[in-house]
Amino acid sequence: MEFDINSNISFIQERINDLEKITEKENPYTRLVFSKEFYDGRSWLRDQYTSLDLSISTDEVGNLIGLLKTNKKNKQLVIIGSHIDTVPSGGRYDGIAGVVSALCVINHIKKNDIDLPFNLAVYDYLGEELNDWGTSCIGSRGLAGVINEEILSRKNTAGLVLKEEIDKIGGNSKLLNKPLPVIKNILACLELHIEQGKVLEDRKIEIGVVRSIPSISRFSVTVKGQAGHSGTILMNQRSDALVTASEIISFVNKSALKLSQKSNQHFVATIGKINVHPNSAAIIPGFVEMTIDLRATSQNSKEEFLNILNKKISLLNDTSSCNVKIKDLAFAPYVEMDKDLIYLFQKSANSLGLSNTIMDSGAGHDTAQLSRVVPAGMIFIPCKDGLSHCPEEYAKVSDISKGTAVLWEMVQNLARKKIEADI
Ligand code: GLV
Ligand code: MN
Ligand code: MN
C-alpha cells in the first residue's frame, strides 16, 4: 500500500502543532520529564492512541505504549518509538518527529486496513533527555535492563526520588533489575529522528541511515572553597570555588579540542550545567557543582581525556585552596546499529527514490540503549542549520513525511522477511 508523502503532511503538521503548544509558556519549547507539561503531553498522546484504536499501556519503566495487534497468532513485536520530553527551551522536533511519524505509520495502516504478521507498537520512551537526576534515556535503559538501583534511588534538586516518579507515572520500579520480559518478543526497534547536525542539509540528502551512536559519559564535578565577604577578604586570602571551576571549564574545552584534532574522530566535551553557591554578588563563591558531558566514538580518546583531566584535578587539589571531586553520573557505550536493519533502511529509501547516506550520530538516542539487547536501527532527516536543543530547532514537515514513508517501507520489508521466514 503506497504511502503518499504529500497527503500525509497535514497529519504530521497538525500533531507537531498540537505538541508545541504543550510547553512551559515562558520557555518554549519545554516539556521536562515528569513535569505538568509532560503529563499533559502524555494525555494528548493517549488521546492519539485512542483515536487510532490502539491498546494503551504503560510498561514497568513508564514507557507509554500504543499497540496495534495482528490478527495472526503471533506475539512478535516491531516498535517504532522516540520521545516527547524535551530539554529546557528545547526543540519542537527532537523526539517529537519520531513519535508523530510512528502515529502516521499506524494511521496509514488503519486507513488501508492492513494486517501485519507481527504486533506493531508506538513507544514514547520515558525521559530520553538528560534530567535533573543526572541520567537520560530512562525508558530505553529500563527496557534494556541497564538502569541500576543507584540511579533509581537518586533525588533531584527538588528532593524527588526517581523511582517514585516512575511509579507515579504508572511504572513498577521494583521490576527494573533486568531486561523487561517483552524484549524476547522484539523483532526490531525503529526510530526516526532529526539529524541535529548539518550533514544532510549541506549535502542535500533526504535520509541518513545511522551506523553508530557515540558513547556518552557524564560526570559531576564539585569544587569546595570557602564563602565569605566580597569586600573584606583580600585577594590572596580567598578560596573562590568559581575561579577554580572556571579553570576546569577551559581545561575541558581546550583538551577536548586537542584530542578531537589528534584522533580525527568524533570527540566532544561540554560543561553546560553549573550551580554556584550561594550565587550572590557580594559573596565569594563557596561551592560549585557542574556536569561534564562527554561523547566519543573511541574508547582510547575517552581514556586519554579522563587521564589528563584527573591529573589536572590532582594538581588543582595540591595547588589551589579548593577541594575538587569528580564522580560518575551516567554512561552509555558506543554502539553500532543492527547491520540487517541498516541494509533494509537503505533498501527502503532506495525503493522510494529518496537520496540517502550511511552516517554516524553525534547525539545520543534511545536506540543506542535498545541496540544493546535487541535489533535496533534509526534514520535521520535534515534539520535547519543543524540546530537542535534550542528554540530555533526546525525541520520541514515534508522531510518528516519522507522519513515516515521510509519507516512504512521498512515495516513492509520486515513483514516480507517474517512471512518468508515462517514459510
Ligand atoms: C540527547 O538529546 C543527547 O543529549 O544527545
Ligand atoms: Mn532526541
Ligand atoms: Mn535531545
Side-chain angles (χ1 to χ4, degrees):
M1 243 56 59
E2 204 169 313
F3 178 96
D4 185 58
I5 290 169
N6 287 327
S7 62
N8 278 290
I9 286 182
S10 59
F11 181 97
I12 297 169
Q13 184 73 68
E14 281 164 23
R15 283 154 185 81
I16 301 258
N17 293 351
D18 281 353
L19 268 175
E20 77 180 37
K21 290 190 200 100
I22 308 175
T23 171
E24 284 181 16
K25 294 293 172 265
E26 60 288 3
N27 302 315
Y29 303 89
T30 306
R31 208 165 33 252
L32 304 184
V33 68
F34 302 126
S35 65
K36 170 173 184 314
E37 296 75 26
F38 183 74
Y39 271 86
D40 289 350
R42 282 233 157 155
S43 117
W44 173 87
L45 189 55
R46 279 172 189 276
D47 291 347
Q48 293 293 314
Y49 289 170
T50 305
S51 63
L52 289 167
D53 203 19
L54 302 178
S55 337
I56 305 177
S57 60
T58 303
D59 69 9
E60 296 86 330
V61 68
N63 296 315
L64 183 60
I65 304 163
L67 182 68
L68 176 65
K69 288 200 184 111
T70 172
N71 291 326
K72 314 258 179 333
K73 275 208 182 94
N74 198 316
K75 281 216 169 76
Q76 282 195 300
L77 176 68
V78 170
I79 294 176
I80 310 181
S82 200
H83 58 99
I84 65 156
D85 69 313
T86 72
V87 290
S89 301
R92 286 180 276 173
Y93 302 88
D94 174 357
I96 288 98
V99 172
V100 169
S101 62
L103 296 174
C104 189
V105 167
I106 301 273
N107 185 48
H108 177 75
I109 294 172
K110 285 277 176 178
K111 264 193 352 211
N112 293 286
D113 211 8
I114 299 163
D115 186 28
L116 294 168
F118 40 68
N119 294 325
L120 181 65
V122 182
Y123 267 58
D124 169 29
Y125 298 112
L126 182 74
E128 189 267 357
E129 300 290 5
L130 178 61
N131 53 45
D132 201 13
W133 287 269
T135 189
S136 57
C137 298
I138 303 171
S140 50
R141 281 179 203 267
L143 197 48
V146 293
I147 194 161
N148 60 34
E149 188 55 33
E150 183 276 316
I151 297 177
L152 289 168
S153 303
R154 283 186 196 162
K155 283 186 182 161
N156 72 353
T157 39
L160 300 173
V161 179
L162 179 57
K163 61 183 170 189
E164 290 171 9
E165 295 305 297
I166 292 175
D167 292 342
K168 263 187 241 162
I169 210 158
N172 187 348
S173 58
K174 288 193 191 68
L175 303 178
L176 297 180
N177 51 358
K178 52 181 183 304
L180 298 189
V182 69
I183 286 289
K184 62 181 181 313
N185 296 329
I186 296 177
L187 210 56
C189 289
L190 312 176
E191 180 171 12
L192 173 152
H193 205 282
I194 59 166
E195 183 202 330
Q196 308 180 280
K198 280 163 72 81
V199 173
L200 296 175
E201 186 180 61
D202 284 352
R203 293 175 54 195
K204 300 194 173 30
I205 293 176
E206 290 156 308
I207 301 292
V209 178
V210 178
R211 173 175 44 205
S212 75
I213 301 181
S215 75
I216 305 183
S217 316
R218 297 203 177 95
F219 305 92
S220 136
V221 177
T222 54
V223 184
K224 193 168 169 351
Q226 176 59 57
H229 197 296
S230 67
T232 57
I233 300 182
L234 300 182
M235 297 312 286
N236 62 357
Q237 298 167 343
R238 297 182 175 208
S239 297
D240 186 326
L242 188 54
V243 170
T244 300
S246 71
E247 271 200 56
I248 298 172
I249 296 172
S250 20
F251 184 84
V252 163
N253 182 275
K254 290 199 182 99
S255 315
L257 177 64
K258 264 200 220 142
L259 263 172
S260 65
Q261 286 164 341
K262 186 172 124 187
S263 69
N264 207 16
Q265 294 206 7
H266 189 70
F267 186 89
V268 288
T270 310
I271 296 186
K273 184 176 183 197
I274 172 161
N275 289 323
V276 180
H277 302 271
N279 204 18
S280 170
I283 305 176
I284 297 164
F287 186 72
V288 170
E289 52 191 341
M290 49 197 184
T291 308
I292 303 180
D293 174 294
L294 180 74
R295 325 265 179 140
T297 44
S298 139
Q299 179 66 12
N300 289 346
S301 305
K302 181 187 147 184
E303 277 167 15
E304 194 174 338
F305 175 82
L306 288 179
N307 208 358
I308 56 175
L309 178 64
N310 281 323
K311 282 198 183 126
K312 174 76 180 173
I313 290 177
S314 305
L315 187 71
L316 286 170
N317 280 332
D318 291 344
T319 57
S320 82
S321 48
C322 295
N323 183 264
V324 184
K325 287 199 174 115
I326 180 162
K327 191 177 96 187
D328 283 356
L329 278 181
F331 175 66
Y334 165 84
V335 287
E336 293 186 355
M337 304 293 91
D338 182 84
K339 293 210 170 28
D340 290 343
L341 294 180
I342 292 179
Y343 167 77
L344 275 190
F345 264 132
Q346 277 208 296
K347 183 174 160 187
S348 302
N350 287 337
S351 72
L352 295 168
L354 295 170
S355 54
N356 59 86
T357 185
I358 302 236
M359 62 184 293
D360 299 306
S361 172
H365 297 286
D366 291 309
T367 298
Q369 300 298 335
L370 301 167
S371 70
R372 296 164 80 168
V373 287
V374 289
M378 75 188 295
I379 51 167
F380 286 159
I381 54 122
C383 65
K384 191 166 181 309
D385 301 328
L387 286 175
S388 182
H389 281 193
C390 57
E392 293 80 11
E393 180 182 280
Y394 177 78
K396 285 192 206 142
V397 185
S398 53
D399 287 342
I400 302 176
S401 194
K402 286 177 193 167
T404 309
V406 175
L407 282 180
W408 168 233
E409 196 58 33
M410 190 68 183
V411 170
Q412 291 180 97
N413 275 321
L414 289 170
R416 284 181 207 116
K417 250 182 99 170
K418 169 99 191 78
I419 291 166
E420 275 166 26
D422 288 349
I423 288 172

